[in-house]
Structures are given as structure tokens and as C-alpha cells.
Amino acid sequence: MGCLPVPLFLLLGLGTGYAIDGTPGALWGAGAGLVLGIAGMGWLIHLMRGRR
């Protein structure tokens, strides 16, 4: 469950970038989505662990 944001943001960024600027935009969008997905994964794991 912790890795769920990675593919979601990757695909969302890829699609958005492709819609805006074609193939170069898809590469930039996928990169941005990957970074957001990794940050979201860390945040989600932090939330699932909770404060002890």
C-alpha cells in the first residue's frame, strides 16, 4: 500500500505532459510524477506508521 502513489502520479504526470507538449512533455511529466510519487510514498508510510 505504501508504494501506491508512485504509479498513480507517474501515469498522471505522463498523461498530462503528453497532452500539453507531446513526447518531450511526457518525459518531463513522468519525471515530475515520479518525484511526487516517491514523496507521497514517504508521506503515506509515515502516516501508516503513526506516532507511537
Side-chain angles (χ1 to χ4, degrees):
M1 282 299 288
C3 65
L4 185 61
V6 175
L8 291 177
F9 280 115
L10 178 73
L11 291 174
L12 184 64
L14 183 95
T16 305
Y18 186 77
I20 292 172
D21 194 31
T23 304
L27 289 174
W28 281 103
L34 184 63
V35 169
L36 285 175
I38 290 172
M41 178 181 64
W43 180 66
L44 188 60
I45 289 173
H46 175 73
L47 288 177
M48 288 186 339
R49 286 187 179 181
R51 296 183 185 188
R52 294 183 185 171

